[in-house]
């Protein structure tokens, strides 16, 4: 009889512990707004939440890639804009060198400034970020995955930006054009300076085209980023609906369980006050 009584009491203790834990879980669900914490709460909803979670993880990875691509694209746009301004200045200097009154001091000043422009453009073409990633890709644009089956080139290549400039039917690089211009001004040959001016103008036109292409890349990243944000909001809303769909029911259950626990504890306390003879009489 004593063994049976002990078993009953232990079973009652376990029941109250389970009831207490259920109340704690319910109170946590109320405070966090999340009612779905384990598969047994709602097996179908749990599977759906797991699917949504995987989708959110993939979305987050794509959004990170878009942010990375946008950062690179912005730096490339800034460098192209600066190159355009420098080539505009190179045109001004080359045009001024043809005015027929260039003295040795002016000639040296123009050559020095053009040399600085040449060095600066080369530095921007070969610039790298703090991680060692180049502003412009080498030979082939790196494709960045930003969606299922969607990979975007976020910047052009250094070769696309600086080479293949058509100057009277001959392909030249920006560096070649500026070197030729510096040499022409040093030599004071008006015909060579005129030819160099045409080449510098072609270089600037080439950079303008590269700016347009880079703008298209940036626009595509913006469109993809906006779409990813919209999808992420939809997934978040769907997940929230699945995880907190029974919040009203949870509140009702917690209230009922609190009453049950209070009643059970009160009864248990009264039973423990009785002697063994009281229980078996």
């Amino acid at each position: 009889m004593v063994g049976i009584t002990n078993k009953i009491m232990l079973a009652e203790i376990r029941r109250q512990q389970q009831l207490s834990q259920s109340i704690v879980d319910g109170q946590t669900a109320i405070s966090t707004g999340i009612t779905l914490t384990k598969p047994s709460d709602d097996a179908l909803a749990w599977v759906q939440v797991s699917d949504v979670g995987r989708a959110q993880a993939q979305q987050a990875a794509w959004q990170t890639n878009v942010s990375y691509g946008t950062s690179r694209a912005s730096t490339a746009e800034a460098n192209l804009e600066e190159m355009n301004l420098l080539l505009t200045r190179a045109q001004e200097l080359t045009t001024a060198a043809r005015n027929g009154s260039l003295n040795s001091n002016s000639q040296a000043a123009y050559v020095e400034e053009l040399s600085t422009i040449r060095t600066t453009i080369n530095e921007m073409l070969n610039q790298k970020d703090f991680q060692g990633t180049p502003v412009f890709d080498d030979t082939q644009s790196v494709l960045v995955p930003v969606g299922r089956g969607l990979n975007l080139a976020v910047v052009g290549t250094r070769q696309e930006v600086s080479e293949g400039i058509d100057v009277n039917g001959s392909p030249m690089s920006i560096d070649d054009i500026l070197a030729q211009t510096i040499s022409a001004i040093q030599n004071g040959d008006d015909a060579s300076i005129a030819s160099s001016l045409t080449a510098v103008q072609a270089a600037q036109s080439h950079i303008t085209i590269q700016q347009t292409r880079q703008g298209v890349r940036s626009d595509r990243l913006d469109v993809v980023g906006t779409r990813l944000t919209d999808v992420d909001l939809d997934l978040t809303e769907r997940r929230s609906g699945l995880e907190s769909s029974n919040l009203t029911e949870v509140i009702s259950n917690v209230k009922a369980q609190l009453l049950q626990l209070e009643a059970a504890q009160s009864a248990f306390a009264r039973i423990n006050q009785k002697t063994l003879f009281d229980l078996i009489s």
Side-chain angles (χ1 to χ4, degrees):
M1 184 67 182
V2 174
I4 295 174
T5 303
N6 285 337
K7 287 181 180 180
I8 293 173
M9 293 180 67
L10 289 174
E12 178 59 22
I13 291 172
R14 284 195 295 270
R15 189 182 76 85
Q16 291 186 29
Q17 288 175 335
Q18 292 172 351
L19 190 58
S20 296
Q21 185 59 52
S22 180
I23 291 172
V24 170
D25 292 342
Q27 290 172 333
T28 301
I30 293 170
S31 63
T32 62
I34 297 176
T35 62
L36 187 67
T37 59
K38 54 186 180 296
S40 60
D41 293 334
D42 187 332
L44 179 58
W46 182 266
V47 171
Q48 292 176 330
V49 166
S50 297
D51 290 340
V52 171
R54 285 192 292 271
Q56 287 179 311
Q58 183 62 78
Q59 287 286 123
W62 286 333
Q63 286 179 317
T64 298
N65 287 350
V66 168
S67 297
Y68 165 77
T70 299
S71 176
R72 289 195 66 197
S74 296
T75 303
E77 283 186 304
N79 281 19
L80 287 168
E81 175 63 24
E82 183 63 22
M83 288 181 206
N84 199 328
L85 293 174
L86 290 172
L87 288 172
T88 297
R89 179 56 180 163
Q91 285 187 63
E92 294 172 354
L93 292 170
T94 308
T95 301
R98 298 194 62 206
N99 64 12
S101 60
L102 191 66
N103 58 40
S104 59
N105 289 335
S106 297
Q107 182 186 55
Y110 288 0
V111 166
E112 180 63 27
E113 188 170 353
L114 284 167
S115 296
T116 301
I117 290 173
R118 181 186 178 190
T119 299
T120 303
I121 289 178
N122 280 329
E123 288 175 347
M124 287 191 292
L125 285 169
N126 294 282
Q127 180 183 339
K128 295 181 180 180
D129 64 17
F130 68 97
Q131 294 178 320
T133 303
V135 172
F136 300 105
D137 290 325
D138 184 28
T139 307
Q140 185 173 357
S141 293
V142 174
L143 298 180
V144 178
V146 294
R148 192 177 304 280
L150 179 60
N151 304 300
L152 297 182
V154 298
V155 297
T157 68
R158 188 169 62 251
Q159 291 77 14
E160 288 173 340
V161 172
S162 64
E163 299 176 7
I165 302 169
D166 185 4
V167 181
N168 296 323
S170 299
M172 296 184 69
S173 68
I174 293 177
D175 191 65
D176 292 337
I177 289 170
L178 291 174
Q180 173 185 284
T181 303
I182 292 169
S183 178
I185 294 176
Q186 284 176 327
N187 295 330
D189 182 6
D190 188 66
S192 296
I193 296 175
S195 177
S196 296
L197 177 59
T198 300
V200 172
Q201 290 170 338
Q204 186 188 30
S205 297
H206 177 79
I207 289 298
T208 299
I209 293 172
Q210 295 303 313
Q211 285 181 285
T212 302
R213 291 177 177 173
Q214 187 58 51
V216 171
R217 296 186 188 99
S218 297
D219 288 343
R220 291 190 69 188
L221 283 169
D222 288 342
V223 170
V224 172
T226 299
R227 188 178 69 211
L228 287 173
T229 299
D230 291 341
V231 171
D232 187 59
L233 290 173
D234 290 341
L235 289 171
T236 300
E237 183 178 353
R238 182 183 174 191
R239 181 167 185 167
S240 176
L242 289 168
E243 290 180 329
S244 61
S245 57
N246 297 318
L247 190 58
T248 301
E249 182 180 342
V250 170
I251 293 173
S252 299
N253 287 339
V254 167
K255 289 180 179 179
Q257 289 171 342
L258 284 169
L259 291 175
Q260 292 176 23
L261 182 61
E262 183 179 350
Q265 288 174 338
S266 177
F268 190 73
R270 289 197 301 272
I271 291 172
N272 283 336
Q273 290 175 353
K274 295 184 178 180
T275 66
L276 177 61
F277 293 104
D278 293 328
L279 292 172
I280 64 177
S281 60

